[in-house]
Amino acid sequence: ITVTSVKFNSSGCYLAIGTSDMSLYIYDLESMRKLRKIKCQNDRIGSLCWKDYLLCAGSRSGLITVSDTTRPSIRPVFLMNEHDMEVCGLEWNCSQSLLASGSGDTSVRIWDLHTAASTAATAQRSTDFLPSLRTFDHLSAVKALAWHHLDSDLLATGGGTSDKKINVWNANMGRCIISEETDSQISGLAFSRNYSELLSCHGYPHPKITLWKYPSMRKFKELVSNESRILYSCMSPCVEQIATASEDETVRFWEVFPIQSKKKLDKSSDPTLATSQSMINLAATLR
């Protein structure tokens, strides 16, 4: 059995683990014990996302399940089955009313679970198949998803090797409002809560972290850590640091959105490109 995905809930008390044997495991971190096992997929679970007590899981087959972790039944309360390939990313918007899913089938789908989730909390019924609200397309697999932290309708998505574009969509209007080409596949995106900026993580052929002014999408900083492509990224709860996992099996921690700069940039260094010499506390290379 291989661990294929992990996700903390919003409080950090519970950890969900997806595995290659099509199972979900939920652990209580305070008591350090396994609470339950949910067998809810027909393939490995590659992406996870919490909404309060509801746990969404995306599989390699394209199926998305929504499980109520408070109910004794292990049967999912909702199923979404419109993706044709692996679900690479799942992300709730800031109001937790819309769920975005990115897939290897090059599509991004928006799901309205707000009413459905409220019903699931009180109703005892068989599993429902939910239709998607919107569909957006890239030219390659979509793994990178990031909702704006203030506007619940704005979603940034990033395409893979054959696409290399960052698109910002208005999920309510159903149209792309910003499209920016990059030179590498996009494996992660994150909006800053401290600045009007957007961060993108990249893989092949030029692994790096890029910071953009938002909404102008003016690139103002690039960080190169090594020659291995970045596969995953995760923002810290304080929204100042980001962790990246690379193909060389290393995890690096970057201080990308500090509230106050701890150091000034070295005047002798290139202001547009910085190379990491450390695995932690890289604020000096950004601000």
Side-chain angles (χ1 to χ4, degrees), residues 167-185:
N167 291 338
V168 180
W169 311 85
N170 185 306
N172 182 44
M173 300 175 65
R175 64 183 182 91
C176 181
I177 58 175
I178 296 174
S179 184
E180 184 69 28
E181 292 188 3
T182 72
D183 61 0
S184 302
Q185 64 181 182

mmCIF file of all heavy atoms in Angstrom, residues 167-185:
data_model
loop_
_atom_site.group_PDB
_atom_site.id
_atom_site.type_symbol
_atom_site.label_atom_id
_atom_site.label_comp_id
_atom_site.label_asym_id
_atom_site.label_seq_id
_atom_site.Cartn_x
_atom_site.Cartn_y
_atom_site.Cartn_z
ATOM 1 N N ASN A 167 -4.493 30.736 -16.100
ATOM 2 C CA ASN A 167 -5.767 31.373 -16.427
ATOM 3 C C ASN A 167 -6.507 31.735 -15.148
ATOM 4 O O ASN A 167 -6.495 30.967 -14.182
ATOM 5 C CB ASN A 167 -6.654 30.441 -17.268
ATOM 6 C CG ASN A 167 -6.110 30.224 -18.668
ATOM 7 O OD1 ASN A 167 -5.338 31.033 -19.183
ATOM 8 N ND2 ASN A 167 -6.514 29.132 -19.293
ATOM 9 N N VAL A 168 -7.133 32.889 -15.147
ATOM 10 C CA VAL A 168 -8.004 33.296 -14.039
ATOM 11 C C VAL A 168 -9.416 33.385 -14.580
ATOM 12 O O VAL A 168 -9.678 34.078 -15.573
ATOM 13 C CB VAL A 168 -7.568 34.652 -13.434
ATOM 14 C CG1 VAL A 168 -8.504 35.043 -12.291
ATOM 15 C CG2 VAL A 168 -6.127 34.579 -12.930
ATOM 16 N N TRP A 169 -10.314 32.649 -13.930
ATOM 17 C CA TRP A 169 -11.696 32.522 -14.391
ATOM 18 C C TRP A 169 -12.655 33.183 -13.417
ATOM 19 O O TRP A 169 -12.413 33.194 -12.213
ATOM 20 C CB TRP A 169 -12.082 31.050 -14.522
ATOM 21 C CG TRP A 169 -11.130 30.186 -15.253
ATOM 22 C CD1 TRP A 169 -10.019 29.565 -14.741
ATOM 23 C CD2 TRP A 169 -11.166 29.832 -16.650
ATOM 24 N NE1 TRP A 169 -9.367 28.855 -15.720
ATOM 25 C CE2 TRP A 169 -10.055 28.983 -16.895
ATOM 26 C CE3 TRP A 169 -12.039 30.133 -17.695
ATOM 27 C CZ2 TRP A 169 -9.789 28.451 -18.146
ATOM 28 C CZ3 TRP A 169 -11.784 29.594 -18.940
ATOM 29 C CH2 TRP A 169 -10.667 28.765 -19.168
ATOM 30 N N ASN A 170 -13.735 33.726 -13.961
ATOM 31 C CA ASN A 170 -14.863 34.138 -13.141
ATOM 32 C C ASN A 170 -15.857 32.982 -13.172
ATOM 33 O O ASN A 170 -16.516 32.749 -14.190
ATOM 34 C CB ASN A 170 -15.500 35.426 -13.673
ATOM 35 C CG ASN A 170 -16.595 35.943 -12.768
ATOM 36 O OD1 ASN A 170 -17.544 35.236 -12.434
ATOM 37 N ND2 ASN A 170 -16.477 37.199 -12.352
ATOM 38 N N ALA A 171 -15.945 32.265 -12.066
ATOM 39 C CA ALA A 171 -16.774 31.061 -12.036
ATOM 40 C C ALA A 171 -18.259 31.385 -12.148
ATOM 41 O O ALA A 171 -19.039 30.567 -12.644
ATOM 42 C CB ALA A 171 -16.513 30.283 -10.749
ATOM 43 N N ASN A 172 -18.650 32.575 -11.709
ATOM 44 C CA ASN A 172 -20.060 32.965 -11.789
ATOM 45 C C ASN A 172 -20.454 33.287 -13.228
ATOM 46 O O ASN A 172 -21.501 32.853 -13.706
ATOM 47 C CB ASN A 172 -20.322 34.160 -10.878
ATOM 48 C CG ASN A 172 -21.776 34.576 -10.877
ATOM 49 O OD1 ASN A 172 -22.674 33.739 -10.805
ATOM 50 N ND2 ASN A 172 -22.025 35.876 -10.967
ATOM 51 N N MET A 173 -19.596 34.023 -13.926
ATOM 52 C CA MET A 173 -19.880 34.412 -15.306
ATOM 53 C C MET A 173 -19.481 33.326 -16.300
ATOM 54 O O MET A 173 -19.940 33.317 -17.444
ATOM 55 C CB MET A 173 -19.142 35.713 -15.639
ATOM 56 C CG MET A 173 -19.533 36.881 -14.743
ATOM 57 S SD MET A 173 -18.540 38.368 -15.071
ATOM 58 C CE MET A 173 -19.047 38.733 -16.742
ATOM 59 N N GLY A 174 -18.594 32.420 -15.887
ATOM 60 C CA GLY A 174 -18.186 31.328 -16.754
ATOM 61 C C GLY A 174 -17.240 31.733 -17.860
ATOM 62 O O GLY A 174 -17.280 31.175 -18.959
ATOM 63 N N ARG A 175 -16.344 32.674 -17.594
ATOM 64 C CA ARG A 175 -15.407 33.090 -18.648
ATOM 65 C C ARG A 175 -14.023 33.377 -18.069
ATOM 66 O O ARG A 175 -13.866 33.646 -16.876
ATOM 67 C CB ARG A 175 -15.923 34.321 -19.382
ATOM 68 C CG ARG A 175 -16.050 35.579 -18.552
ATOM 69 C CD ARG A 175 -16.646 36.717 -19.362
ATOM 70 N NE ARG A 175 -16.753 37.962 -18.612
ATOM 71 C CZ ARG A 175 -15.804 38.881 -18.579
ATOM 72 N NH1 ARG A 175 -14.679 38.697 -19.254
ATOM 73 N NH2 ARG A 175 -15.968 39.997 -17.892
ATOM 74 N N CYS A 176 -13.020 33.317 -18.948
ATOM 75 C CA CYS A 176 -11.638 33.599 -18.568
ATOM 76 C C CYS A 176 -11.408 35.110 -18.627
ATOM 77 O O CYS A 176 -11.685 35.749 -19.654
ATOM 78 C CB CYS A 176 -10.684 32.881 -19.510
ATOM 79 S SG CYS A 176 -8.936 33.118 -19.133
ATOM 80 N N ILE A 177 -10.894 35.677 -17.540
ATOM 81 C CA ILE A 177 -10.673 37.122 -17.499
ATOM 82 C C ILE A 177 -9.187 37.482 -17.592
ATOM 83 O O ILE A 177 -8.838 38.615 -17.920
ATOM 84 C CB ILE A 177 -11.281 37.745 -16.225
ATOM 85 C CG1 ILE A 177 -10.694 37.103 -14.968
ATOM 86 C CG2 ILE A 177 -12.796 37.584 -16.231
ATOM 87 C CD1 ILE A 177 -11.174 37.756 -13.681
ATOM 88 N N ILE A 178 -8.295 36.514 -17.313
ATOM 89 C CA ILE A 178 -6.852 36.723 -17.428
ATOM 90 C C ILE A 178 -6.221 35.438 -17.947
ATOM 91 O O ILE A 178 -6.569 34.346 -17.507
ATOM 92 C CB ILE A 178 -6.208 37.093 -16.071
ATOM 93 C CG1 ILE A 178 -6.730 38.425 -15.545
ATOM 94 C CG2 ILE A 178 -4.687 37.149 -16.187
ATOM 95 C CD1 ILE A 178 -6.241 38.779 -14.152
ATOM 96 N N SER A 179 -5.291 35.578 -18.901
ATOM 97 C CA SER A 179 -4.543 34.428 -19.388
ATOM 98 C C SER A 179 -3.088 34.832 -19.578
ATOM 99 O O SER A 179 -2.800 35.800 -20.285
ATOM 100 C CB SER A 179 -5.120 33.903 -20.709
ATOM 101 O OG SER A 179 -4.454 32.736 -21.124
ATOM 102 N N GLU A 180 -2.183 34.138 -18.910
ATOM 103 C CA GLU A 180 -0.769 34.489 -18.940
ATOM 104 C C GLU A 180 0.059 33.259 -19.312
ATOM 105 O O GLU A 180 -0.039 32.205 -18.678
ATOM 106 C CB GLU A 180 -0.319 35.010 -17.578
ATOM 107 C CG GLU A 180 1.111 35.496 -17.531
ATOM 108 C CD GLU A 180 1.335 36.777 -18.323
ATOM 109 O OE1 GLU A 180 0.373 37.564 -18.468
ATOM 110 O OE2 GLU A 180 2.472 37.001 -18.784
ATOM 111 N N GLU A 181 0.889 33.389 -20.357
ATOM 112 C CA GLU A 181 1.748 32.281 -20.771
ATOM 113 C C GLU A 181 3.009 32.241 -19.917
ATOM 114 O O GLU A 181 3.572 33.274 -19.559
ATOM 115 C CB GLU A 181 2.122 32.426 -22.242
ATOM 116 C CG GLU A 181 0.956 32.252 -23.198
ATOM 117 C CD GLU A 181 1.393 32.208 -24.650
ATOM 118 O OE1 GLU A 181 2.627 32.251 -24.890
ATOM 119 O OE2 GLU A 181 0.528 32.132 -25.532
ATOM 120 N N THR A 182 3.459 31.026 -19.593
ATOM 121 C CA THR A 182 4.716 30.830 -18.885
ATOM 122 C C THR A 182 5.600 29.912 -19.730
ATOM 123 O O THR A 182 5.195 29.461 -20.806
ATOM 124 C CB THR A 182 4.494 30.205 -17.494
ATOM 125 O OG1 THR A 182 4.111 28.835 -17.636
ATOM 126 C CG2 THR A 182 3.389 30.945 -16.732
ATOM 127 N N ASP A 183 6.798 29.612 -19.229
ATOM 128 C CA ASP A 183 7.722 28.774 -20.007
ATOM 129 C C ASP A 183 7.828 27.359 -19.473
ATOM 130 O O ASP A 183 8.669 26.589 -19.929
ATOM 131 C CB ASP A 183 9.102 29.430 -20.057
ATOM 132 C CG ASP A 183 9.724 29.597 -18.680
ATOM 133 O OD1 ASP A 183 9.076 29.208 -17.677
ATOM 134 O OD2 ASP A 183 10.856 30.118 -18.588
ATOM 135 N N SER A 184 6.987 26.988 -18.499
ATOM 136 C CA SER A 184 7.080 25.656 -17.897
ATOM 137 C C SER A 184 5.716 25.186 -17.431
ATOM 138 O O SER A 184 4.782 25.984 -17.253
ATOM 139 C CB SER A 184 8.043 25.665 -16.701
ATOM 140 O OG SER A 184 9.326 26.098 -17.082
ATOM 141 N N GLN A 185 5.599 23.868 -17.220
ATOM 142 C CA GLN A 185 4.362 23.319 -16.664
ATOM 143 C C GLN A 185 4.123 23.907 -15.277
ATOM 144 O O GLN A 185 5.060 24.256 -14.559
ATOM 145 C CB GLN A 185 4.437 21.795 -16.583
ATOM 146 C CG GLN A 185 5.498 21.284 -15.650
ATOM 147 C CD GLN A 185 5.576 19.764 -15.596
ATOM 148 O OE1 GLN A 185 6.375 19.232 -14.840
ATOM 149 N NE2 GLN A 185 4.808 19.042 -16.392
#
